[in-house]
Coordinates of all heavy atoms in Angstrom, one line a residue:
I15 N 2.4 26.8 4.0 CA 2.9 27.9 4.7 C 1.9 29.1 4.4 O 1.8 29.5 3.3 CB 4.3 28.3 4.2 CG1 5.2 27.1 4.2 CG2 4.9 29.4 5.0 CD1 5.4 26.4 5.5
G16 N 1.3 29.6 5.5 CA 0.3 30.7 5.4 C -1.1 30.1 5.6 O -1.5 29.2 4.9
G17 N -1.7 30.6 6.7 CA -3.0 30.1 7.1 C -4.1 31.1 6.8 O -5.1 31.1 7.5
S18 N -4.0 31.9 5.7 CA -5.1 32.7 5.3 C -5.9 32.0 4.2 O -5.9 30.7 4.3 CB -4.5 34.0 4.7 OG -5.5 34.9 4.1
L19 N -6.6 32.6 3.3 CA -7.5 31.9 2.5 C -6.9 31.0 1.5 O -7.3 29.8 1.4 CB -8.4 32.9 1.7 CG -9.1 33.9 2.6 CD1 -10.0 34.8 1.8 CD2 -9.9 33.2 3.7
G20 N -5.8 31.4 0.9 CA -5.1 30.5 -0.1 C -4.7 29.2 0.6 O -4.9 28.1 0.1
G21 N -4.1 29.3 1.8 CA -3.6 28.2 2.5 C -4.7 27.3 3.0 O -4.6 26.0 2.9
L22 N -5.8 27.9 3.4 CA -7.0 27.1 3.9 C -7.6 26.3 2.7 O -8.1 25.2 2.9 CB -8.0 27.9 4.6 CG -7.5 28.5 6.0 CD1 -8.6 29.3 6.6 CD2 -7.2 27.3 6.9
F38 N 0.9 26.1 8.5 CA 1.8 26.9 9.4 C 1.5 28.3 9.2 O 1.8 28.8 8.1 CB 3.3 26.5 9.2 CG 3.6 25.1 9.4 CD1 3.6 24.2 8.4 CD2 3.9 24.7 10.7 CE1 3.9 22.8 8.6 CE2 4.2 23.3 11.0 CZ 4.2 22.4 9.9
E39 N 1.0 29.0 10.2 CA 0.7 30.4 10.0 C 1.6 31.3 11.0 O 1.7 31.0 12.2 CB -0.8 30.7 10.4 CG -1.2 32.1 10.6 CD -0.9 33.0 9.4 OE1 -1.1 32.7 8.3 OE2 -0.4 34.2 9.7
R40 N 2.1 32.3 10.4 CA 3.1 33.2 11.2 C 2.4 33.9 12.4 O 2.9 33.9 13.5 CB 3.7 34.2 10.2 CG 4.6 35.2 10.9 CD 5.3 36.0 9.9 NE 4.4 36.8 9.1 CZ 4.7 37.5 8.0 NH1 6.0 37.5 7.6 NH2 3.8 38.1 7.3
S41 N 1.2 34.4 12.1 CA 0.5 35.2 13.2 C 0.1 34.2 14.3 O -0.5 33.1 14.1 CB -0.8 35.8 12.7 OG -0.5 36.7 11.7
L45 N -6.5 35.5 13.0 CA -6.5 36.5 11.9 C -7.8 37.2 11.8 O -8.9 36.6 12.1 CB -6.2 35.7 10.6 CG -4.9 35.0 10.4 CD1 -4.8 34.3 9.1 CD2 -3.8 35.9 10.6
A46 N -7.8 38.4 11.4 CA -9.1 39.2 11.4 C -9.2 39.9 10.0 O -8.1 40.2 9.4 CB -9.1 40.2 12.5
S47 N -10.4 40.1 9.6 CA -10.6 40.7 8.3 C -9.9 42.1 8.3 O -9.8 42.8 9.3 CB -12.1 40.9 8.2 OG -12.4 41.7 7.0
R48 N -9.5 42.5 7.1 CA -8.9 43.8 6.9 C -10.0 44.8 6.7 O -9.7 46.0 6.3 CB -7.8 43.8 5.8 CG -6.6 43.1 6.2 CD -5.5 43.1 5.2 NE -4.4 42.2 5.5 CZ -3.7 41.5 4.7 NH1 -4.0 41.7 3.4 NH2 -2.7 40.8 5.1
G49 N -11.2 44.4 6.9 CA -12.3 45.4 7.0 C -13.0 45.8 5.8 O -14.0 46.5 5.9
A50 N -12.5 45.5 4.6 CA -13.2 46.0 3.4 C -14.0 44.8 2.8 O -14.1 43.8 3.3 CB -12.1 46.4 2.4
G51 N -14.7 45.1 1.7 CA -15.5 44.1 1.0 C -14.6 43.2 0.3 O -13.4 43.4 0.1
L52 N -15.2 42.1 -0.2 CA -14.4 41.1 -0.9 C -15.3 40.7 -2.1 O -16.5 40.4 -2.0 CB -14.3 40.0 0.1 CG -13.4 38.8 -0.3 CD1 -12.3 38.7 0.7 CD2 -14.2 37.6 -0.3
G53 N -14.7 40.7 -3.3 CA -15.4 40.3 -4.5 C -15.7 38.8 -4.5 O -14.8 38.0 -4.2
S100 N -18.8 40.2 -0.2 CA -18.9 39.5 1.1 C -17.7 40.1 1.9 O -17.2 41.2 1.7 CB -18.7 38.0 0.9 OG -18.9 37.4 2.1
T101 N -17.3 39.4 3.0 CA -16.2 39.8 3.8 C -15.2 38.6 3.9 O -15.6 37.5 3.8 CB -16.5 40.2 5.2 OG1 -17.2 39.2 5.8 CG2 -17.4 41.5 5.2
W102 N -14.0 39.0 4.1 CA -12.9 38.0 4.3 C -13.2 37.0 5.3 O -13.1 35.8 5.1 CB -11.6 38.8 4.6 CG -10.4 38.0 4.7 CD1 -9.5 37.7 3.7 CD2 -9.8 37.4 5.9 NE1 -8.5 36.9 4.1 CE2 -8.7 36.7 5.5 CE3 -10.2 37.3 7.2 CZ2 -7.9 36.0 6.4 CZ3 -9.4 36.6 8.1 CH2 -8.3 36.0 7.7
S103 N -13.8 37.4 6.5 CA -14.0 36.5 7.5 C -15.2 35.5 7.2 O -15.2 34.4 7.7 CB -14.3 37.2 8.9 OG -15.1 38.2 8.7
Y118 N -3.6 23.0 12.2 CA -3.4 24.4 11.9 C -2.5 25.0 13.0 O -2.9 25.1 14.2 CB -4.7 25.2 11.9 CG -4.7 26.6 11.4 CD1 -5.0 27.0 10.1 CD2 -4.2 27.6 12.2 CE1 -4.9 28.3 9.7 CE2 -4.1 28.9 11.8 CZ -4.5 29.3 10.5 OH -4.4 30.6 10.1
M122 N 3.8 30.1 13.8 CA 4.9 29.4 13.1 C 5.4 30.2 11.9 O 4.8 30.2 10.9 CB 4.5 28.0 12.7 CG 4.1 27.1 13.8 SD 5.4 26.6 14.9 CE 6.3 25.5 13.8
A123 N 6.5 31.0 12.1 CA 7.0 31.8 11.0 C 8.1 31.1 10.2 O 9.1 30.8 10.8 CB 7.5 33.1 11.6
L124 N 7.8 30.8 9.0 CA 8.8 30.1 8.2 C 10.0 31.0 7.9 O 9.8 32.2 7.6 CB 8.2 29.7 6.8 CG 9.2 29.0 5.9 CD1 9.1 27.5 6.0 CD2 9.1 29.5 4.5
E125 N 11.2 30.4 8.0 CA 12.4 31.2 7.7 C 13.0 30.8 6.4 O 13.4 31.6 5.6 CB 13.4 31.1 8.9 CG 12.9 32.0 10.0 CD 14.0 32.1 11.1 OE1 14.9 31.2 11.2 OE2 13.9 33.1 11.8
F138 N 11.6 26.9 10.8 CA 10.8 28.0 11.3 C 11.6 28.8 12.4 O 12.6 28.2 12.9 CB 9.5 27.4 12.0 CG 8.6 26.7 11.1 CD1 8.7 25.4 10.8 CD2 7.7 27.5 10.4 CE1 7.8 24.7 9.9 CE2 6.8 26.9 9.4 CZ 6.9 25.5 9.2
A151 N 3.5 27.2 -0.9 CA 3.7 28.6 -0.4 C 2.5 29.4 -0.6 O 2.2 29.8 -1.7 CB 4.9 29.2 -1.1
A152 N 1.7 29.6 0.5 CA 0.5 30.4 0.4 C 0.7 31.6 1.4 O -0.2 31.9 2.2 CB -0.7 29.6 0.8
D153 N 1.9 32.1 1.3 CA 2.3 33.1 2.3 C 2.3 34.5 1.8 O 3.0 35.4 2.2 CB 3.7 32.8 3.0 CG 4.8 32.5 2.0 OD1 4.5 32.3 0.8 OD2 6.0 32.5 2.3
G154 N 1.4 34.8 0.8 CA 1.0 36.1 0.5 C 2.0 36.8 -0.5 O 3.0 36.3 -0.9
N155 N 1.7 38.1 -0.8 CA 2.4 38.8 -1.8 C 3.9 39.1 -1.5 O 4.7 39.3 -2.4 CB 1.7 40.1 -2.2 CG 1.7 41.1 -1.1 OD1 1.8 40.8 0.1 ND2 1.5 42.4 -1.4
L156 N 4.2 39.1 -0.2 CA 5.6 39.2 0.2 C 6.2 37.9 0.6 O 7.2 37.9 1.4 CB 5.7 40.3 1.3 CG 5.1 41.7 1.0 CD1 5.2 42.6 2.2 CD2 5.8 42.3 -0.2
S157 N 5.7 36.8 0.0 CA 6.1 35.5 0.4 C 7.6 35.3 0.7 O 8.5 35.5 -0.1 CB 5.8 34.6 -0.9 OG 6.3 33.3 -0.8
T158 N 7.8 34.7 1.9 CA 9.2 34.4 2.3 C 9.7 33.3 1.4 O 10.9 33.3 1.0 CB 9.2 33.8 3.8 OG1 8.5 34.7 4.6 CG2 10.5 33.6 4.3
V159 N 8.9 32.3 1.1 CA 9.3 31.2 0.2 C 9.8 31.7 -1.1 O 10.9 31.4 -1.6 CB 8.2 30.2 0.1 CG1 8.7 29.0 -0.8 CG2 7.7 29.6 1.4
R178 N -9.2 54.6 0.5 CA -10.4 53.7 0.8 C -11.0 54.2 2.0 O -10.4 54.7 2.9 CB -9.9 52.3 0.9 CG -9.2 51.7 -0.3 CD -9.0 50.2 -0.2 NE -8.1 49.8 0.8 CZ -8.2 48.8 1.6 NH1 -9.3 48.1 1.6 NH2 -7.3 48.5 2.5
L312 N 1.2 29.6 -4.6 CA -0.2 29.6 -4.8 C -0.8 31.0 -4.3 O -0.2 31.6 -3.4 CB -0.8 28.4 -4.0 CG -2.2 28.1 -3.8 CD1 -2.4 26.6 -3.8 CD2 -2.8 28.7 -2.6
G313 N -1.9 31.4 -4.8 CA -2.6 32.6 -4.3 C -1.7 33.9 -4.5 O -1.0 34.0 -5.6
D314 N -1.7 34.8 -3.6 CA -1.0 36.0 -3.8 C 0.6 35.8 -3.8 O 1.3 36.7 -4.3 CB -1.3 37.0 -2.6 CG -2.6 37.7 -2.8 OD1 -3.4 37.3 -3.7 OD2 -3.0 38.6 -2.0
A315 N 1.1 34.7 -3.3 CA 2.5 34.4 -3.4 C 2.9 34.3 -4.9 O 4.0 34.5 -5.3 CB 2.9 33.2 -2.6
A316 N 1.9 33.8 -5.7 CA 2.2 33.5 -7.1 C 1.9 34.7 -8.0 O 2.8 35.1 -8.8 CB 1.3 32.3 -7.5
V318 N -0.5 38.5 -8.2 CA -1.4 39.5 -7.7 C -1.9 40.4 -8.8 O -1.1 41.1 -9.4 CB -0.8 40.4 -6.5 CG1 -1.8 41.4 -6.0 CG2 -0.3 39.5 -5.4
G326 N -9.0 38.4 -6.1 CA -7.8 37.8 -5.4 C -8.2 36.5 -4.7 O -7.4 35.5 -4.8
V327 N -9.3 36.5 -4.0 CA -9.7 35.3 -3.2 C -10.1 34.2 -4.2 O -9.8 33.0 -4.0 CB -10.8 35.7 -2.2 CG1 -11.2 34.5 -1.4 CG2 -10.3 36.8 -1.3
S328 N -10.9 34.5 -5.2 CA -11.3 33.5 -6.1 C -10.1 32.9 -6.8 O -10.1 31.7 -7.1 CB -12.3 34.1 -7.2 OG -13.4 34.6 -6.6
A330 N -7.1 32.6 -5.6 CA -6.4 31.7 -4.6 C -7.2 30.3 -4.6 O -6.6 29.2 -4.5 CB -6.4 32.3 -3.3
Ligands
FAD585 C1 -5.7 38.9 7.8 C2 -6.1 39.1 6.4 C3 -7.2 39.9 6.1 C4 -7.6 40.1 4.8 N1 -8.7 40.9 4.5 C5 -9.1 41.1 3.2 C6 -10.3 41.8 2.9 O1 -11.0 42.3 3.8 N2 -10.6 42.0 1.6 C7 -9.9 41.5 0.6 O2 -10.2 41.6 -0.6 N3 -8.7 40.8 0.8 C8 -8.3 40.6 2.1 N4 -7.2 39.9 2.4 C9 -6.3 39.5 1.2 C10 -6.8 38.2 0.6 O3 -6.9 37.2 1.6 C11 -5.8 37.7 -0.4 O4 -5.6 38.7 -1.4 C12 -6.3 36.4 -1.2 O5 -7.2 35.7 -0.5 C13 -5.1 35.5 -1.4 O6 -4.7 35.1 -0.2 P1 -3.4 34.3 0.2 O7 -3.8 33.3 1.2 O8 -2.7 33.9 -1.0 O9 -2.5 35.5 0.8 P2 -2.8 36.3 2.2 O10 -4.2 36.4 2.4 O11 -1.9 37.5 2.1 O12 -2.2 35.4 3.3 C14 -0.8 35.0 3.5 C15 -0.7 34.4 4.9 O13 0.6 33.9 5.1 C16 1.1 34.3 6.3 N5 2.5 34.3 6.3 C17 3.3 35.3 5.6 N6 4.6 35.0 5.7 C18 4.6 33.9 6.5 C19 5.7 33.1 6.9 N7 7.0 33.4 6.7 N8 5.5 32.0 7.7 C20 4.2 31.6 7.9 N9 3.1 32.3 7.5 C21 3.3 33.4 6.8 C22 0.4 35.6 6.6 O14 0.4 35.9 8.0 C23 -1.0 35.4 6.0 O15 -1.9 34.9 6.9 C24 -6.8 39.6 3.7 C25 -5.6 38.9 4.0 C26 -5.3 38.6 5.3 C27 -4.0 37.8 5.7

Side-chain angles (χ1 to χ4, degrees):
I15 309 301
S18 173
L19 303 185
L22 289 179
F38 299 93
E39 166 55 44
R40 179 172 57 192
S41 298
L45 296 181
S47 172
R48 288 181 188 148
L52 188 120
S100 186
T101 58
W102 185 87
S103 43
Y118 188 101
M122 298 290 288
L124 178 96
E125 285 190 334
F138 297 93
D153 51 347
N155 66 337
L156 302 178
S157 167
T158 308
V159 179
R178 300 193 289 140
L312 176 149
D314 283 5
V318 178
V327 177
S328 299

